[in-house]
Amino acid sequence: ADAAVFFRKMMDLSEKRKNDTFESAYRRTVCIMALADTEKEKGNLNQAVEMYIEVIKERKELAEKYANDKGYMPVIRRALAVAYLKLGDCERALGYYKSVVDVYGLCLALRTAAVRELTGGDYAEYEARRDLAVIQLRLGEVFEEIAEGGIDQQYIQQAYGYYKESLALRMGLAEELQTDSALRDLGVGWCRLAGAEMKCGLWRDAGEHLEKGLTLRKNLADRTGSLEDRRKLTKAYELQARYLIANREEE
C-alpha cells in the first residue's frame, strides 16, 4: 500500500509530460505496471488484468511512434514483451487458458525476434536469450496444465517441445556464462523436461535428464548453501521419488 502511493505520485508527474519525451511516456507505463503488480499481489486479479492491458496499449503506441528509432526500439520491444508475460501470468491464475496461450504467443514472437537481431555476444544478447527461454518454459507449463485438466492429452507433446527448446537455450547460456544464476536456470530446464517426459512415457530419457538436474542442484546447494538452492534441491528429490514410483508401476 505504501509503495502504491509513491507509484501514483510518479505516474501523476509522468502524466503531465507524457507526450514531451520518450522517457516520460515510458515512465508512465512503468508506474502503471508497478501498480498492476501491487493489485496482483493483493489478489485483485481482474483489476490487474485491466492495468496490464493499459500498459500494453501505451507501449504499443510507443512502438509505433519510435518504430524507426534503433536506440529506443529494443527497450520498447522488451518492455512490451514483459507486459504480455505479466498479463499472461495473471490470466493464467484466473484460468483463462485460451487467452493465456495467445498472449504468451505474442511475448514469444517479440522475444524470438530480439534473439535473431541481438548477436553481439554482450549482456543484451544473453538477456534476450534468457528471456526467450523463460517464455518457452511458461508456454510449456501452460500446455502441461491444460493436459492435466483432461482437455486434450496431446497438449503434453506441445509442452515437451517447448521445454526442449528452452533447455537448449539454457544449456548454451550455462556453458558460456558459468554463473550460479545460469546454472539454476539449467537445473529448472532439466527438471521440467524430465517431468514432461514422464508424462509422455519416455522413461529412459526422463531418468537421464532428471539425474542431470538432480546432480546440478545438489552441487549448487552444497556450494552455496542458500535457501533457494536447497529448496530447488528438495523439488528435484520430490520429482525423483515420483519418477521411481511411476516407473515401477509402468514396469
Side-chain angles (χ1 to χ4, degrees):
D2 292 341
V5 171
F6 288 98
F7 284 129
R8 290 191 186 282
K9 288 181 178 180
M10 291 169 62
M11 191 166 70
D12 289 342
L13 291 170
S14 299
E15 177 70 25
K16 295 175 182 177
R17 299 186 55 202
K18 73 174 184 178
N19 295 321
D20 292 350
T21 64
F22 167 79
E23 288 78 7
S24 295
Y26 177 68
R27 179 65 59 188
R28 172 181 155 79
T29 70
V30 171
C31 294
I32 299 172
M33 177 84 83
L35 287 167
D37 291 343
T38 63
E39 292 301 327
K40 182 183 177 185
E41 286 294 320
K42 290 187 291 185
N44 300 329
L45 298 181
N46 287 310
Q47 189 170 345
V49 164
E50 292 178 5
M51 298 175 80
Y52 288 134
I53 290 173
E54 184 178 353
V55 172
I56 290 169
K57 176 178 176 292
E58 294 197 11
R59 289 184 174 176
K60 286 174 73 175
E61 290 173 356
L62 284 173
E64 293 174 4
K65 184 175 181 179
Y66 295 95
N68 298 320
D69 193 311
K70 293 183 179 180
Y72 288 141
M73 274 310 295
V75 175
I76 298 169
R77 181 174 54 205
R78 184 167 193 262
L80 184 55
V82 169
Y84 280 131
L85 180 68
K86 292 199 172 191
L87 174 61
D89 287 347
C90 208
E91 292 189 327
R92 180 179 169 189
L94 287 164
Y96 301 155
Y97 283 110
K98 185 181 186 304
S99 178
V100 172
V101 171
D102 292 340
V103 172
Y104 277 172
L106 293 169
C107 179
L108 178 69
L110 286 169
R111 291 186 166 178
T112 300
V115 169
R116 280 199 297 260
E117 293 179 17
L118 295 170
T119 56
D122 55 8
Y123 178 77
E125 183 198 344
Y126 294 136
E127 189 176 60
R129 287 160 61 192
R130 186 183 186 277
D131 284 347
L132 180 56
V134 167
I135 188 58
Q136 288 171 336
L137 190 83
R138 285 283 215 291
L139 277 161
E141 290 173 344
V142 166
F143 282 119
E144 194 170 356
E145 288 171 14
I146 293 172
E148 288 172 356
I151 297 172
D152 189 340
Q153 287 301 310
Q154 290 184 348
Y155 280 115
I156 194 63
Q157 294 292 335
Q158 290 178 271
Y160 173 68
Y162 279 118
Y163 287 149
K164 284 186 69 175
E165 292 175 4
S166 180
L167 177 64
L169 286 169
R170 291 163 191 261
M171 289 175 66
L173 288 168
E175 183 177 352
E176 294 170 40
L177 302 178
Q178 290 296 311
T179 61
D180 287 349
S181 177
L183 291 171
R184 287 187 191 105
D185 286 347
L186 179 56
V188 171
W190 283 126
C191 290
R192 283 288 193 282
L193 182 62
E197 287 169 337
M198 287 165 57
K199 293 178 180 179
C200 291
L202 303 172
W203 298 105
R204 179 177 295 179
D205 290 342
E208 291 177 2
H209 297 154
L210 177 56
E211 187 61 34
K212 289 182 179 180
L214 185 61
T215 300
L216 180 58
R217 285 185 169 178
K218 190 174 188 308
N219 290 339
L220 275 168
D222 289 344
R223 188 172 77 251
T224 69
S226 73
L227 181 61
E228 178 185 4
D229 287 324
R230 291 180 322 193
R231 184 181 290 119
K232 288 182 181 297
L233 179 58
T234 66
K235 292 291 185 181
Y237 281 133
E238 180 184 355
L239 184 60
Q240 185 185 47
R242 284 168 44 205
Y243 167 78
L244 292 171
I245 293 168
N247 197 29
R248 175 171 291 181
E249 290 175 351
E250 183 72 11
E251 291 174 351

